[in-house]
Structure formats: structure tokens, C-alpha cells
Amino acid sequence: MSALSNNNWSRRSLFRAAAGMAAAGTLAACGSNNGRSGGGSGDSLTQYFHAYGEAGTEQAIKRYAKAYKDANVTTQWITGSNFENKLFPALLTKNAPDVFEFHPQLQLVTSGQVADLSDIINPVKDDFNPADIASHTVDGKIYGVRMIDDPQFFYYRPSLFEKAKVEVPQTLEELIEAVNKLTTDKVKGAFLGNDITPVQNPLIWSAGADTLNAKNEIAYHTDAVAEGLGQLRKLFTSGNLLLDAPADWWDPSAFTQGLTAIQWCGMWAMPVIQKALGDDVGIFPFPKVGSAGKFSVTNGGWSMFVNAKGDNVDAAKEYVKWLWIDQKEYQEDWALSYGFHIPPRTSIAQSASKLKSGLPAEGVKLFSEYGHFDNIGWTQAMIASVNDVIANSVRKGGSPEAALDACDKKVNAELKKLFG
Amino acid sequence: MSTTTEIDLANPAPAKPEKARPRRGLRANATLNFWLFTSPFLIGLIVFVFVPMGWSIYLSFFEARFTVSPSSFIGFDNYRAILDNPDFTGALVTFTVFAAFIVPTTWALSLGLALLVHRIRFMKAFFRSVFFLPTAVSYVAAALIWKMSIFNGVRFGMANTVIGWFGFENVAWLANPDPPWYWLVIVTLRLWLQAGFYMILFLAALQNIPAELYEAAAIDGAKPGWQTFRYITLPQLRATSTAVILLLLIAAYQAFDEFWNLLSKATWGQPPLVELYKTALGENQDYGQGSAGAVILTLLILVITLFQGKIMGFGRGEEAK
């Protein structure tokens, strides 16, 4: 038996070895046939996008990419709420995207991760919103092409305001009072996001402060900001804020389903909100905080960047130029056909009839009058430090001063690394 | 067949050329088989575990921001920085407390379930499968169900509906850390996912306890129930219990998925791995400091495991019986 089975084994192991080699061969073949080189139209590029919520956006991005003839562009549509946590590590690997969307952040420039796009932007520089150019410029070089500007503000239901005899709030105190009056056993007064961080910057701006000053020093640590954090804490503990909603602030569901009378959200959600609520919707900026307060609106948005360490920097730049500079039709489609966004190109914005009247026009007005654009020096690590301030002082009830002090320490360490 | 072999063995002379081949073959086969079976695993282990571990230790001595191939050696600065970071040290303390709580709870629940399923007279396979099924669910999927349907903060969330029947106000289970209801969400989720798996381990061990022991005890006058459980079942399960506690402890320190998905932008309930993820892969991109933290955590798990093995006699299962 042993002799026979030994023969058996040896035959089997030969088969196995052969099969293993065959499998290895197949795998090796896989390596070159990754589905990207099939088109035969020049270079292969990969682009990263975070998953937009509006219907049709993914198809649109893929449609534009397909229309590009000089390279084969693959789109990675990245779901989940932590796009930066997937993008940043990916940029260090061989599988890094050639082209990706993000917000302008200085550490991407200082670490040499994004390519200088001045040569493709400069010819059309004057057609861009100057604030968008400024927020992407470091030492005279422009590092990203703005695709869309996204103002964020409060949406409210005028009918509920009327019923509760509430006026549109001008100050944070009035907002708190309004929220208390608007709350019933079915509807909460307001929704500021499940973790309250969406309003962290507006709170700073509305208190007359800023994230950083012109010399790139801390500008958010003021008495008015600390006072504002205390007021937000009062609002948080009132029991009248909507918390732990199944869909977070960027999705208008809580508002359209009548769970809340006021919601902080972006202009992108306007078409869906108007469809659901018709005329019963209004918008207002973040109210004034403290005696020197001002109204404020977050002018967020997304820009395209080219991975400077990728293998196809020139091809990637060509693609970005083709789509986000030359193809105005696609840029307009992207800004206006799904959610509403403000086109950063003046020529497109001027002809955008959808933004000319009614609520969208009011959104554009808030954007122009009270909007604060990205500051390239305000990086992800600093944003996260202020997230902790909100967590510790507003949600946990710690002292705002102590939370701001802890934040200063982290932000200063970061500033030192970036600016020396 | 076996007869032929025996004859071969008995008459070595004529069978010699016949025999030599298979024997050489056997030796060659054994080596070949050894490498054939172990090499894929070994290569995987080296490439995906040992090389990254070595790289991580290397990185922990360098200034490695936005890069994994650094050039500036900084000695123990990363270790100093991460141990000076209250978020990381706080996470270690929080998780020692969490482990101290979740380990005995899961141990007791899975043992309880195993005893129930072991005792049951009908539909045993059904109940065994039902309790085991949650093990197949991913932490992320379960966390989303817990967050979005069971413990959401709106009035029609499942938990809020139930407490509403008793006249209680809606609770923001996850957003508001005071009172810390988020622990209820995390602990129930972890129990639901883990208990079934450890129940199976206990069931197997229970089935291994010889029936004679219980018979002998009955003859000696031991009452069934608590007395036999305390003096027969529990000591007999000692080896399994040790293994289960060890696995639970390691799992507690490796906690990541549900915390990451349930507690967004929080500063509380952050396990060490979430802190390390934020340091290395998240907004900070500091691979040097993240690696230093990983080394510290590895050492900590190692020490705890060895210490626990010493106390509870891991690997001494046989004598323990």
C-alpha cells in the first residue's frame, strides 16, 4: 500500500506542481491584462472621485471620461464618508490615481504630491472666480482646477416658521430660540449634522474670526468663538436638535421627510428639496455670533488635481485640461444637471439660467455676499483638530477654552511643519 | 496490497531496485510536499506580515510624513511623541477598561449559550446555527444596521420606539456622549457578533467532558445544576476558557470597525487602532509616529498575552484537566 500510494502521491504532486505553475502563469497574464489597456488609445489613466449623492453623477463622470480619445480613463467612485482616508494612503502607492478630486490643501503641495497646473490654467485664468484661483495658488503657481463651488447654508420651512411665529434668525441666540419654538413631538427644530462639525467654520467666521490670518497664524481662538461654542452646547443639550439621523447633513432626507424644520446643507441638494417641498423652503446664512458677528456661508467645492508622482503626469494634465478647461459643455452639465453647484468659470456661471431666479438665485447671493472660500493653508490635520474642539466642548460639554487650547497646540505643530 | 509490501520487506534482495525508487521518491516527495504545502502560506506570511512588520519597525525610527520611504533618522522621537499624545495613551487606558468589561461578558454569554444548546433535547442543530450565524456578518455591515436602524436618534428608530412604549424620551444613542449610551450600542453589537463563535468552542469542549464524571459525581451525591457545574463542568472547560479569554482579549485590542463606523468625529471611545489609523493613514499621514504606536501596541498585547498565559496556564491544558 505504501509503495502504491507513494507512487500515487508523487504523481499527484507532479500534477499539483504543474497546476500550480499553470495558475502562476495565469496570474502573471492577469498582471498585464487589467482591463485598462484594451482600448488601444494611448495612455491609461485612473481618476478618483468621492461618491456624489445626486442621481446620475457617477454615470456623468464616466461618460465624460469615455468621450476622451487620447487616453483610457478609469474612474474609481469611492463611497463612504472618509474619502481623504482612502485618497491619502493611495497616493503613496504604485496604484495611486493619476487624477483626483479634492480640496486645495498645502501639505499636498509641500510634499510634492500634486503637479503644478499653471500652464494649463493661466490662459483661462481670467475666466475663473478670482477667489477660486487664489485658494489654489502657492508662490504664484496654481495647483488645481476648480470644478464646482458649493455654498452651504441653512434651509428652512417658512410654513413651520409661520406656525411657530418665528422670524428668520439673525443671531445665534435667535437661532437657539427659534429651534426651541419650532420643536414639536414630531419635528425637531434643527439639524446641524450628526456630529455638528459641518458648522465649525461658519461658527468661527460668524464670530468675526477666521481659521488662519494672512500671516498663517491661528485666528480662530477668540472670546467670541469660545462664547459661540458655549451657545452651541446649549443648543445641543436642549433636546431640540435632530441627532443620529439615518442620513447625515449632506443628504436632504431629514429635511424633506419632515424630521426637522431647519437643516444645514449644501446648494447641491436644492433641486431635490424643491421637488419635495415646492415653495415651502427658504435659506439663510449662519447667523451672527457675539456683538461683532457677521453672517457667513461656507463656499466649499471640489477641484481636480494631478498626481505629481504618477507615471503619466503629462497625459493626466492633458486630460484635466481637456475636460475641466476646454469642455465647457461638460462643465456646465456637471454643475447644473444633477445637484446645483456654482460654476467657477465666470462665462458658464453667467449663462446658467437655472441659477438666475428664485431660490437658486438667493443661494448665489449668499455665496457672493457671505461666502468664505477654502484656505489652502488650512489642512486636514487642522480641520480634524477643530473637529475635536466641537466633540469636546459642544458634544461632551468640556470647557471651550480648554478645547481651543488643545487645538492650538496641534494646529501650531502643523503650521510649524508647513511654514517653518 | 499490504501483503506485497510485507513480502518486499521480508525479501530485500530481489526487491531492492524496486524498493529503492519509492523510498527515494518518498523522501523527495516529503520535501517537495512540505514546500508545496507550506510555501504559499510561508510566502504570504513573509510578504504580508513579516516584511510590513519589519518595515513598520524601521519606519518608527524615521521622520516619515507623506512618505513610506523616509530618509531622516530621528531615533526614539516618534515613540516619545506618541507616548506624549494624550489621545493615544487615553485610548490604551479606555481599551484596557473596555477589555476588562467585554471579555468576561462575552465569555459568560457564550458559555451560557453553549450550556443551553448543549442541554436542549430537540432542534439542537437549528439553535446552534441560529446563534452561530451572526459570526458570518461583517462588523461594518452590522455597525451600519445598529447605527441606522436600531439605534438611530429619530422617533421611529427601533430602540427609541421601544423605550417610547415605556414613556421615555428619545435618546441620541451615538451623538451625545453624556450619558455614554454609545457603549450600549458597541457592546450589544460585539456580543451579537462574537458570542456565537465562542459558543461553538465551548460546545465542542462540553461534548468532550466524559459522562462518567457526572455519573460518578451523582453517585457521590452531587446535586445536578450549580454543584456539578461548579465542580465538574467549569474545571473541565479550563483549557477552552483560557483560549477563549485570550482570543477575546486580543480581539478587544484589535477593535476597529464598529468604533470607526459608529463614532464619527468623536474624541471618546477611540480604540488604539483608530488612533493609529488617524495618525498614520488619516489626516496626519505620519507613518513614523503611527508605526511607533503600532510597535508599542504589539508589545503591550504580547506582554498581556504572556502574563495571562502565565496566570491561567495557557498551553498547560492537559495538566489543568
Side-chain angles (χ1 to χ4, degrees):
Chain A
M1 176 148 187
S2 58
L4 254 178
S5 59
N6 272 335
N7 275 338
N8 224 348
W9 268 109
S10 118
R11 224 176 293 138
R12 268 193 215 159
S13 44
L14 265 176
F15 275 130
R16 214 171 287 128
M21 276 173 182
T26 326
L27 279 177
C30 274
S32 56
N33 177 21
N34 55 10
R36 282 204 245 153
S37 51
S41 48
D43 301 291
S44 290
L45 298 172
T46 306
Q47 55 177 356
Y48 269 26
F49 275 81
H50 85 285
Y52 286 73
E54 295 81 51
T57 43
E58 184 178 3
Q59 291 78 357
I61 282 295
K62 289 182 173 166
R63 182 159 45 84
Y64 310 150
K66 211 172 168 196
Y68 186 55
K69 296 287 172 238
D70 293 338
N72 219 324
V73 183
T74 313
T75 305
Q76 296 263 352
W77 193 254
I78 297 180
T79 53
S81 55
N82 47 348
F83 179 63
E84 66 272 10
N85 287 331
K86 288 169 184 156
L87 173 70
F88 289 174
L91 285 175
L92 299 177
T93 68
K94 283 273 172 222
N95 292 323
D98 301 291
V99 177
F100 59 91
E101 65 162 7
F102 201 59
H103 319 288
Q105 294 200 348
L106 189 57
Q107 86 280 8
L108 293 170
V109 177
T110 54
S111 61
Q113 285 178 321
V114 291
D116 173 13
L117 303 182
S118 308
D119 52 338
I120 63 170
I121 299 170
N122 273 335
V124 289
K125 196 175 156 186
D126 295 340
D127 192 30
F128 273 92
N129 186 328
D132 281 325
I133 292 291
S135 65
H136 292 71
T137 304
V138 180
D139 296 334
K141 292 176 183 165
I142 309 170
Y143 286 90
V145 185
R146 197 63 154 183
M147 296 183 291
I148 43 176
D149 281 320
D150 288 327
Q152 295 158 30
F153 35 65
F154 282 115
Y155 286 90
Y156 74 101
R157 297 271 299 272
S159 66
L160 296 177
F161 271 49
E162 225 167 274
K163 219 165 119 190
K165 299 192 176 59
V166 172
E167 295 291 314
V168 172
Q170 307 292 310
T171 63
L172 188 53
E173 281 107 349
E174 284 177 25
L175 176 70
I176 295 170
E177 209 177 303
V179 169
N180 294 343
K181 282 188 188 163
L182 286 162
T183 303
T184 66
D185 54 348
K186 291 265 159 63
V187 182
K188 292 283 186 188
F191 182 41
L192 312 182
N194 282 332
D195 53 36
I196 321 292
T197 59
V199 297
Q200 68 186 31
N201 277 9
L203 178 79
I204 292 169
W205 294 321
S206 278
D210 203 346
T211 49
L212 298 174
N213 63 21
K215 285 187 271 174
N216 288 312
E217 295 161 342
I218 288 172
Y220 58 80
H221 194 155
T222 66
D223 291 343
V225 170
E227 197 190 316
L229 288 167
Q231 286 175 301
L232 266 192
R233 169 71 186 167
K234 215 169 92 191
L235 184 57
F236 183 81
T237 50
S238 68
N240 299 333
L241 273 190
L242 179 66
L243 293 168
D244 286 337
D248 213 343
W249 69 281
W250 58 79
D251 186 310
S253 301
F255 187 62
T256 55
Q257 289 169 4
L259 293 174
T260 177
I262 303 174
Q263 178 176 336
W264 183 263
C265 195
M267 181 126 152
W268 57 81
M270 208 176 260
V272 177
I273 292 176
Q274 283 187 304
K275 203 176 160 202
L277 302 173
D279 287 341
D280 187 20
V281 50
I283 54 175
F284 62 91
F286 198 91
K288 298 169 185 168
V289 180
S291 49
K294 303 167 188 161
F295 292 122
S296 76
V297 162
T298 306
N299 286 352
W302 292 90
S303 321
M304 290 312 291
F305 297 91
V306 167
N307 175 7
K309 293 177 176 168
D311 296 332
N312 306 309
V313 177
D314 291 333
K317 275 170 85 169
E318 273 307 306
Y319 173 65
V320 169
K321 178 179 182 294
W322 174 81
L323 181 51
W324 299 110
I325 291 189
D326 298 342
Q327 301 299 314
K328 283 193 170 181
E329 213 174 289
Y330 288 147
Q331 292 159 34
E332 192 179 347
D333 178 66
W334 184 237
L336 300 166
S337 299
Y338 312 97
F340 281 164
H341 311 269
I342 296 176
R345 299 284 291 267
T346 320
S347 55
I348 300 174
Q350 274 167 356
S351 64
S353 53
K354 284 180 182 170
L355 305 181
K356 289 268 186 275
S357 59
L359 201 62
E362 277 182 56
V364 175
K365 198 167 163 241
L366 293 185
F367 167 84
S368 321
E369 283 179 16
Y370 308 119
H372 291 254
F373 286 82
D374 286 326
N375 177 350
I376 195 165
W378 188 246
T379 63
Q380 203 64 37
M382 304 181 198
I383 295 167
S385 307
V386 181
N387 288 344
D388 286 356
V389 171
I390 297 287
N392 286 336
S393 64
V394 177
R395 289 166 67 195
K396 210 176 180 183
S399 126
E401 264 311 316
L404 286 169
D405 284 342
C407 181
D408 290 353
K409 213 175 134 193
K410 291 183 202 163
V411 172
N412 274 328
E414 203 56 29
L415 286 170
K416 205 172 156 224
K417 280 178 194 165
L418 287 171
F419 299 103
Chain B
M1 264 185 282
S2 54
T3 17
T4 3
T5 322
E6 271 171 82
I7 289 166
D8 283 346
L9 284 169
N11 307 296
K16 217 172 190 177
E18 286 282 315
K19 236 180 92 185
R21 257 194 197 157
R23 282 205 78 178
R24 246 201 316 266
L26 176 74
R27 219 173 287 145
N29 273 344
T31 322
L32 184 70
N33 282 336
F34 173 78
W35 287 114
L36 234 121
F37 277 98
T38 53
S39 61
F41 177 70
L42 207 64
I43 292 169
L45 198 69
I46 290 170
V47 172
F48 296 111
V49 178
F50 291 122
V51 170
M53 266 172 81
W55 197 248
S56 182
I57 293 170
Y58 172 80
L59 277 178
S60 70
F61 294 105
F62 284 84
E63 162 84 43
R65 268 199 116 208
F66 304 103
T67 175
V68 283
S69 41
S71 51
S72 115
F73 181 82
I74 51 166
F76 282 94
D77 278 7
N78 280 327
Y79 288 88
R80 232 166 275 142
I82 192 101
L83 286 173
D84 196 35
N85 179 353
D87 294 340
F88 181 71
T89 44
L92 291 177
V93 175
T94 312
F95 268 73
T96 308
V97 177
F98 171 66
F101 179 76
I102 191 80
V103 171
T105 326
T106 320
W107 176 84
L109 183 71
S110 47
L111 178 59
L113 283 178
L115 288 169
L116 284 176
V117 174
H118 187 60
R119 270 294 192 81
I120 207 165
R121 283 170 204 280
F122 53 94
M123 291 172 80
K124 204 171 187 167
F126 171 78
F127 283 107
R128 204 167 48 204
S129 312
V130 161
F131 289 130
F132 183 69
L133 265 180
T135 307
V137 179
S138 93
Y139 271 86
V140 177
L144 291 180
I145 295 168
W146 251 245
K147 178 180 176 169
M148 294 167 107
S149 69
I150 303 180
F151 287 104
N152 74 35
V154 298
R155 60 177 193 279
F156 47 74
M158 198 177 122
N160 276 338
T161 308
V162 172
I163 63 168
W165 293 336
F166 301 98
F168 291 102
E169 289 274 308
N170 286 352
V171 171
W173 301 97
L174 293 163
N176 192 349
D178 184 30
W181 283 118
Y182 62 94
W183 280 121
L184 178 76
V185 183
I186 285 164
V187 166
T188 50
L189 173 71
R190 209 153 236 267
L191 280 175
W192 185 74
L193 282 170
Q194 287 194 333
F197 175 73
Y198 296 103
M199 175 201 76
I200 295 286
L201 297 188
F202 277 123
L203 260 182
L206 282 174
Q207 281 159 3
N208 267 339
I209 302 176
E212 296 85 31
L213 284 175
Y214 292 101
E215 284 162 25
I219 290 165
D220 287 345
K223 287 184 212 89
W226 174 247
Q227 216 167 22
T228 47
F229 173 75
R230 168 73 185 79
Y231 292 102
I232 299 174
T233 315
L234 211 52
Q236 288 287 317
L237 291 177
R238 190 180 165 130
T240 311
S241 286
T242 312
V244 165
I245 290 173
L246 195 70
L247 291 173
L248 282 171
L249 206 60
I250 294 173
Y253 269 95
Q254 288 182 337
F256 179 83
D257 307 45
E258 77 270 41
F259 291 89
W260 178 256
N261 285 292
L262 290 174
L263 301 172
S264 79
K265 292 178 181 158
T267 50
W268 46 88
Q270 300 291 291
L273 285 193
V274 169
E275 286 300 340
L276 290 182
Y277 185 83
K278 284 187 194 164
T279 307
L281 299 170
E283 54 273 0
N284 287 313
Q285 294 268 296
D286 193 336
Y287 295 87
Q289 222 183 91
S291 299
V295 171
I296 292 170
L297 189 64
T298 312
L299 288 176
L300 196 76
I301 294 178
L302 195 76
V303 167
I304 290 175
T305 311
L306 290 176
F307 182 67
Q308 196 218 358
K310 189 115 185 128
I311 296 178
M312 299 201 56
F314 189 60
R316 285 190 276 125
E318 281 312 305
E319 296 110 271
K321 274 187 180 176

